Amino acid sequence: MRDATTRPSGELVGWTGDLWGGLAATLVALPASLAFGVAVYGPLAGAGAGALAGLLGAVALGVVAPLAGGTPRLISAPCAPAVAVLNAFALQTAARHPGEAGRVLVLMSLVGLLAALAQIALGAARAGTVIKYIPYPVVTGYLSGVAVVIFLKQLPALLGLGAGVSLSHGLMTPSAWQGPAMGVGAATVVGMILAPRVTRAVPPAIVGLGAGVLAYGAFAALRPELRSLAGNALVIGPLGAGGGAGFADAFRARASALRALGLSDLREVLGTAATLAVVLSLDTLKTCVLVDATTGGQHDSNRELFGQGAANLVSATAGGMPGAGTSGPTLVAIASGAQTRWAGVIEGALVLVAYLALGPVVAWAPLAALAGILAVVAVKMFDFGVLSWARHRATAFDFAVVVTVIAVAVGVSLITASGVGVALSILLFIRNEARTSVIRRRLRGDEVFSKRRRLPAEMAVLARDGAATLLVQLQGSLFFGTTDQLRAALASDLAERDTVVFDLRRVDAVDLTAVHILAQMREQLRRRGATMILCRLPRSFAGQDDPERYLRDAGLLDEGDEPMLFAQLSDALAWAEDRTLAASGLVSADEAPLDLLDMTMFQGRKAETLASLMGAIEARAVAAGDAVFRHGDEGDELFFVRRGCVRIALPMTEGSLHVASFGRGDFFGEIAFLDGGARTADALAEADTELYALSRKRFDEVSAAHPRLGQGLFASLARAIALRLRRADDEITTLEES
């Protein structure tokens, strides 16, 4: 019998998989959380207090985030981006408030609280999907900048520089370097790098930490002063308030200090809190996407943001470090069999157990080992792949964006870098939109035709004079960055064409600048008697559910003006064709109904033959909007249009598809006339229409007496159908190319 806790492939499932996944994630998250906490809070409150903040953050995030967020297998813990943001804030705030380390710590707690509330608000506002659309060059530039900042921050611990020694001075003063710190750091880095080559069962951070501890033990065997916690600056030391009473006292003191803060303090931390909220959200959602790709799942971005905010709120309240959904522990958990969100809860609980049981052991963790872990994390976090962008012209600008964000992050601050990143996001959007032409295709009126079937004489005129009409198919976003491109591209056409038709079906957005430019183009055409037509408005754009109303309110469409707006492209082209034909004198405003003799198909027939045929024909009048027949109707009649126009449409799930329109002198209904089957489409009168209806039964009776009439009619039908098929081929080709 197969074990109920395994799949056929051997993959662990249920609580067993979550238990092993949570345990494996703990081995990755625990040393990293210690390192992150020490890096952020150590310079202000001591390494022991920093380690405690990292552990408390890992517990709060590990337990609360899975319960409130719910993304399966996601492990949340303190993370590198939080280190960089909080380190930068601590450095700037300490410079503004010298000698007030306690005040800086309180302000950092306020940053964590506000960032958590911001994440909750982002989740409630359903902004999770929006955050994911920040351009990749900005994201990778920011995270790479974070990596550089973190790496530089670890150098003092790796070199063993004393307190108060600046990095720049320390780098230039080799005499200030301490051999034990350098040896421990080097052993840790080498251990993490070589770990994947030696074993896959133990996470590299654990191997690196073990190597660092062994190296420290070797140095301690040679130097007695390294065997004591007292005065030893190379290890974490006691973890601060370890007892319950001490923790409660610390909580009350922190709450009292937060209540004492004023409005000026709030203004001081708002920018950092907003930056931290966005960075943590991006890190979480990036990991969620990675989880989806690995497991085939589908996370809920907004719920996860809410969950991460709730977890960070608990962490900040408890005095822990903020964090996010982290990729390292998460991937290890998945590889170890994690199946549900309970793997994250187990990870948080195991960190708490480790803190309670191993506190005295953790106190001996070498600071240089933790710095080595962070240095390797920072190097892996840096996106070296972007360096290749500099070699290609197409990606040179994106490379410049990455370099700019990194330079600002390192040279100024991460907070400023976040603002620069937002500005560059806007520039990238404008650059990308402006780079793609908003004109998808341009076609003259002698290259594309409406679906109204024209008589040979009319088609000859359209082939000759149709170039007076221009169809412009637009695409993408019409906004201030692309409308000048549109006007410049159509400059000569605006001065020459009689009708310009804009097809907006593929347009995503239209801002007021674009509306203003279109209105100027319309006026330029009007001044010389030309016309601009808009057709196929999308269902929504510019945040408007009623695009037509938006264009009218913006002043582009006028009430009572010539037809400017059409729902169908064919109708717009038909209007332009009628205008061209009217200019040639072929179309009269007051059409007289055609007699049978005037129909092209019957010209040249004998009078007695036509007289016999007229006896079999029924004259009908159809009001505008009424149906001549409907899809599925039984009937065998062939219809000849004496006056007006009939639209043939195929019914669809939503609306109908306009197939063709037949006007004065043309015919329709030939399919049922030939095969006697049901009607294949709807036939609707576009205007008041007069028809001749000829049933197949009556026609057969007449053709029996006049065989040549029957032969001639079928020959005319065959020729007309052949022409229609040729035109259908052209339309299919045009549709495919568009």
Side-chain angles (χ1 to χ4, degrees):
M1 180 180 294
R2 183 185 300 129
D3 187 346
T5 61
T6 61
R7 297 186 192 272
S9 63
E11 180 185 356
L12 294 169
V13 298
W15 68 267
T16 307
D18 288 335
L19 179 61
W20 286 111
L23 176 61
T26 302
L27 296 178
V28 178
L30 180 60
S33 298
L34 286 172
F36 293 148
V38 171
V40 172
Y41 299 98
L44 295 170
L52 179 61
L55 290 174
L56 291 176
V59 173
L61 288 160
V63 173
V64 177
L67 296 177
T71 299
R73 306 174 176 89
L74 180 68
I75 306 297
S76 298
C79 60
V83 174
V85 174
L86 291 176
N87 259 339
F89 175 78
L91 184 64
Q92 295 174 359
T93 308
R96 289 194 297 267
H97 306 285
E100 299 184 57
R103 177 180 176 82
V104 176
L105 287 171
V106 172
L107 290 176
M108 290 174 69
S109 295
L110 182 59
V111 168
L113 287 171
L114 292 179
L117 293 174
Q119 283 189 292
I120 293 174
L122 288 172
R126 307 193 64 79
T129 54
V130 176
I131 290 178
K132 293 188 293 185
Y133 294 120
I134 296 178
Y136 176 72
V138 174
V139 174
T140 194
Y142 189 86
L143 294 180
S144 296
V146 167
V148 173
V149 171
I150 291 175
F151 183 84
L152 294 177
K153 295 289 185 183
Q154 306 320 303
L155 292 181
L158 289 172
L159 296 175
L161 301 180
V165 179
S166 67
L167 176 60
S168 58
H169 177 71
L171 290 175
M172 302 302 295
T173 312
S175 60
W177 301 356
Q178 295 191 50
M182 297 172 62
V184 169
T188 302
V189 171
V190 172
M192 288 192 68
I193 294 174
L194 296 180
R197 303 179 184 179
V198 177
T199 178
R200 297 274 182 185
V202 183
I206 294 294
V207 175
L209 181 59
V213 170
L214 291 176
Y216 181 84
F219 283 110
L222 301 175
R223 301 178 60 169
E225 69 272 16
L226 299 182
R227 304 171 196 169
S228 171
L229 290 178
N232 189 346
L234 296 184
V235 296
I236 289 178
L239 298 186
F247 178 81
D249 291 341
F251 176 80
R252 283 192 292 269
R254 187 165 48 255
S256 176
L258 286 171
R259 286 195 297 269
L261 296 177
L263 187 60
S264 60
D265 300 306
L266 185 63
R267 287 195 295 265
E268 189 172 2
V269 303
L270 276 178
T272 302
T275 300
L276 184 61
V278 172
V279 170
L280 296 180
S281 299
L282 281 173
D283 206 29
T284 296
L285 296 181
K286 177 171 62 71
T287 305
C288 288
V289 171
L290 185 61
V291 171
D292 289 346
T294 304
T295 65
Q298 181 64 49
H299 74 280
D300 184 336
S301 298
N302 298 307
R303 180 181 174 183
E304 193 55 49
L305 285 185
F306 179 86
Q308 293 291 323
N312 278 316
L313 188 62
V314 173
S315 178
T317 303
M321 182 178 170
T326 52
S327 58
T330 297
L331 292 178
V332 169
I334 293 173
S336 301
Q339 296 294 312
T340 71
R341 60 182 177 173
W342 291 104
V345 177
I346 291 172
E347 178 269 338
L350 289 177
V351 171
L352 178 60
V353 171
Y355 160 58
L356 296 176
L358 303 176
V361 176
V362 172
W364 283 97
L367 295 178
L370 300 180
I373 292 173
L374 282 183
V376 174
V377 169
V379 171
K380 291 182 177 180
M381 190 175 175
F382 190 92
D383 189 355
F384 290 96
V386 302
L387 299 178
S388 63
W389 295 359
R391 300 197 302 266
H392 307 288
R393 182 176 180 182
T395 54
F397 182 80
D398 300 280
F399 177 75
V401 169
V402 173
V403 171
T404 300
V405 175
I406 293 176
V408 174
V410 176
V412 184
S413 71
L414 285 169
I415 299 172
T416 304
S418 65
V420 171
V422 172
L424 291 175
S425 297
I426 297 173
L427 288 178
L428 281 173
F429 172 78
I430 295 174
R431 191 273 311 252
N432 291 335
E433 289 294 324
R435 176 184 288 179
T436 303
S437 174
V438 293
I439 298 179
R440 179 181 177 85
R441 203 170 182 215
R442 297 158 43 120
L443 293 169
R444 300 189 311 271
D446 56 356
E447 297 174 319
V448 61
F449 302 94
S450 73
K451 294 181 179 179
R452 180 171 296 179
R453 304 308 184 190
R454 304 289 183 178
L455 298 177
E458 295 173 330
M459 288 303 299
V461 172
L462 294 178
R464 184 190 68 206
D465 302 333
T469 297
L470 179 69
L471 168 63
V472 183
Q473 294 178 332
L474 301 178
Q475 64 181 358
S477 299
L478 297 180
F479 71 113
F480 61 88
T482 58
T483 45
D484 274 342
Q485 169 203 126
L486 175 63
R487 181 161 54 180
L490 298 178
S492 60
D493 297 302
L494 295 174
E496 298 172 0
R497 310 290 180 183
D498 292 338
T499 307
V500 178
V501 180
F502 287 109
D503 182 0
L504 304 179
R505 182 167 67 99
R506 294 181 176 85
V507 171
D508 302 322
V510 178
D511 71 357
L512 285 175
T513 301
V515 172
H516 178 66
I517 297 297
L518 288 172
Q520 290 181 337
M521 296 166 66
R522 178 197 63 186
E523 290 304 316
Q524 181 178 347
L525 290 167
R526 279 182 176 177
R527 283 195 294 269
R528 58 181 190 81
T531 302
M532 183 175 79
I533 293 176
L534 307 178
C535 68
R536 296 205 288 187
L537 293 185
R539 293 183 178 180
S540 64
F541 58 57
Q544 306 292 324
D545 293 330
D546 188 350
E548 180 177 349
R549 179 65 176 270
Y550 170 72
L551 294 179
R552 291 193 186 280
D553 292 344
L556 180 58
L557 300 178
D558 296 336
E559 298 288 349
D561 209 347
E562 75 260 355
M564 277 194 63
L565 185 63
F566 289 88
Q568 300 291 331
L569 173 61
S570 177
D571 294 337
L573 293 175
W575 188 91
E577 289 171 356
D578 287 342
R579 183 178 187 181
T580 301
L581 294 173
S584 71
L586 272 184
V587 178
S588 172
D590 183 20
E591 293 179 338
L594 293 176
D595 291 328
L596 193 64
L597 185 61
D598 298 322
M599 302 284 181
T600 304
M601 188 176 293
F602 301 108
Q603 290 178 356
R605 300 295 175 189
K606 295 180 179 179
E608 61 271 20
T609 302
L610 291 179
S612 299
L613 185 61
M614 279 300 299
I617 285 179
E618 178 185 347
R620 293 183 188 172
V622 184
D626 288 349
V628 180
F629 53 74
R630 291 285 185 181
H631 174 269
D633 288 351
E634 296 294 333
D636 64 351
E637 292 173 315
L638 180 65
F639 295 92
F640 302 92
V641 183
R642 303 183 63 203
R643 182 173 65 89
C645 186
V646 175
R647 174 186 295 247
I648 306 299
L650 292 173
M652 314 244 333
T653 303
E654 293 185 7
S656 60
L657 174 65
H658 183 194
V659 176
S661 292
F662 298 102
R664 185 169 176 263
D666 217 331
F667 67 90
F668 61 94
E670 69 278 4
I671 295 178
F673 179 81
L674 291 173
D675 65 12
R679 297 294 183 182
T680 59
D682 295 336
L684 307 173
E686 294 184 357
D688 290 342
T689 302
E690 295 185 31
L691 304 169
Y692 282 140
L694 174 62
S695 72
R696 177 62 183 270
K697 180 180 178 181
R698 297 294 305 275
F699 173 75
D700 288 343
E701 294 173 355
V702 174
S703 61
H706 302 279
R708 295 188 63 183
L709 173 64
Q711 295 172 3
L713 179 63
F714 282 121
S716 298
L717 285 175
R719 184 166 52 253
I721 291 173
L723 291 174
R724 291 178 181 181
L725 287 175
R726 288 182 181 276
R727 184 164 177 183
D729 289 343
D730 293 338
E731 290 176 352
I732 292 172
T733 301
T734 301
L735 180 63
E736 179 67 23
E737 291 176 348
S738 65

